[in-house]
Amino acid sequence: MAISLSVVVLLAVVLVVLIRGGSLKGGPAIVAILFGFFLASTNIAPSVNNFMNSLAEMINKISF
């Protein structure tokens, strides 16, 4: 739960930066948000969630 909330906050910040920087306009941003929302309700959502969790674990194991 904590990882997914952190990812949501991170992606929200990236989205705001892209919109304010002019790299992404409002219309495509809304389409991207809606795509993510509807993707979450499909059968592929658990696979995406598992991939993101394993990616987060792999990043967490990297020592600098």
Side-chain angles (χ1 to χ4, degrees):
M1 177 73 168
I3 291 175
S4 65
L5 183 60
S6 299
V7 171
V8 168
V9 170
L10 175 67
L11 291 175
V13 168
V14 169
L15 185 63
V16 168
V17 168
L18 288 174
I19 291 172
R20 294 196 127 224
S23 298
L24 184 65
K25 301 296 181 197
I30 291 172
V31 170
I33 291 168
L34 289 174
F35 174 72
F37 178 77
F38 287 115
L39 180 65
S41 65
T42 64
N43 291 335
I44 198 171
S47 299
V48 172
N49 193 18
N50 289 338
F51 172 73
M52 293 303 292
N53 284 336
S54 48
L55 184 65
E57 288 176 12
M58 184 175 56
I59 291 172
N60 191 30
K61 290 180 182 178
I62 297 173
S63 60
F64 293 102

